Amino acid sequence: MDWISNTFDSLQLALYESVVQPIVFGMGLGNLLEDAFDATGWLLWGLIQVAVLLLGIGLLERRWPVEPVTDHAAVRTDVFYTLIHRLGLVRLLMFFSIEPLWDGIAGQLRLAGLPTWQLDGLWPGVTDVAWVSFVIYLVVFDFVNYWVHRGQHQLNAWWALHSLHHSQRQMTMWSDNRNHLLDDVIVATVFALLARLIGVEPGQFVAITVITQLHESLQHANLRLGFGRIGERLLVSPRFHRLHHSIGIGHESDGRGTLGGHNFGVLLPVWDILFRTANFDTRFDPTGVRDQLPEEGGRDYGRGFWSQQWLGLLRFFASFKRAT
C-alpha cells in the first residue's frame, strides 16, 4: 500500500507547487502555505471522487437505471453542488470561519482541565493498530451521523434547510451534495468537533470522509440495485436509501404533514434496525417532498443554486415564526 500513498503524496505536491502555491502567493497569503498544502490534499481527493463518479457509478446508472433522466437542468445543478463540495469550498468556508472558533474553544477546555473523550485515553493501546482504530472511528462517526440525520428530519428549522436535499425529483449520483450551505456548515462543524473530541488523526479523518462521501454518492444513484436480504442489513444500498427519499415515507413518520421518516443510516443500517426506523420494502418509489406535489400546494424549492439557497433561508426563518 506504500506505493499508493507515495503516488498520492507526489500528485499532491505537484498540484500544490504548480497550481495552489502560485495562487496563494498571488493573493498575498504566504502565511497560509501549510494550510494550503493540506487543502490541496482535499482538492486531490475531490478530483479522484469525481473520476470515480464518472467512470464507475455513472456506468452503473446507465446500465441499470431506476428511471430515465428527463430533467437535465436539475441534474446539472446537482453537479454544481458536488463540485463545490467535493473540491473544497465547504472545507475552505470551515477553515476561515468555524475551525478557528473551535480551536479556541478546545484550547480553553484543555486549560480548564476538562476531560476529552480521546479513544486512546478511554482504551489505552487501541490506536496502536491503525486499522482497528479506523474501524472504531468509522462506526462512531456513522452512529453520530445517524442521529444528526434524524435531527435534520425532526427539528422544524433544520428540516426547513434539509428539505432542499429531498426536493430532487430526479435523483442521481450527483444528488448527495444538494444541500443548503448553512446545513452543510452545521453538519461539518459537528464532525470537526467530534474528530477533535475523540482524537481522530487527520489522515484517518480524510479517509472516513472520502469513504462516506463515495458511498453516499452510490446510494443516491439512479440505480436499481439492492444488496439482498442479508446485505441490505449490513450496508446501506441504493434501494434502501431511495426509500428514505420517497415522497411521504422518507420524511414523515406518522402520516401527511408530520416530521420524521425512515432509513436514516448513512453507512450502516444497524442503527435504523436498533432504533426502529428501518424500512426494507423492495420497491423504488418516486422521490421528493410531499408539499412539492401540485395537489399538496406545489411548493417551489428553486431551480438553480442561488434560488434554492435563498428559498431555503426563507423556509428557515419562517419556521421560527410558526414556532412562536
Side-chain angles (χ1 to χ4, degrees), residues 62-173:
R62 288 191 286 275
R63 179 65 180 86
W64 295 291
V66 174
E67 59 188 355
V69 174
T70 56
D71 193 345
H72 295 281
V75 175
R76 284 195 295 270
T77 299
D78 284 357
V79 172
F80 180 71
Y81 275 104
T82 300
L83 293 178
I84 65 172
H85 195 284
R86 302 290 172 93
L87 300 185
L89 178 62
V90 174
R91 292 294 310 169
L92 195 64
L93 183 63
M94 289 288 295
F95 172 74
F96 283 109
S97 58
I98 305 299
E99 289 191 10
L101 174 63
W102 284 122
D103 286 340
I105 292 174
Q108 291 301 314
L109 290 176
R110 285 193 295 270
L111 288 175
L114 295 177
T116 59
W117 294 273
Q118 304 250 332
L119 182 59
D120 202 50
L122 298 173
W123 188 352
V126 70
T127 58
D128 293 346
V129 182
W131 73 266
V132 173
S133 61
F134 175 76
V135 170
I136 294 173
Y137 288 138
L138 189 66
V139 172
V140 171
F141 267 64
D142 198 58
F143 175 72
V144 174
N145 223 342
Y146 170 83
W147 287 106
V148 167
H149 200 175
R150 283 194 68 170
Q152 290 171 313
H153 282 251
Q154 294 287 355
L155 303 176
N156 279 306
W158 210 349
W159 172 247
L161 297 173
H162 185 63
S163 57
L164 169 61
H165 177 68
H166 281 258
S167 66
Q168 177 56 286
R169 303 298 310 278
Q170 192 86 78
M171 208 163 78
T172 69
M173 64 183 182

Side-chain angles (χ1 to χ4, degrees), residues 19-36:
V19 178
V20 177
Q21 189 179 54
I23 293 175
V24 172
F25 274 127
M27 297 175 64
L29 299 174
N31 60 313
L32 299 177
L33 287 177
E34 184 177 345
D35 297 303

Side-chain angles (χ1 to χ4, degrees), residues 175-192:
S175 300
D176 174 43
N177 293 123
R178 180 192 178 105
N179 299 308
H180 199 280
L181 290 179
L182 180 56
D183 193 9
D184 274 334
V185 169
I186 293 171
V187 173
T189 300
V190 169
F191 287 100

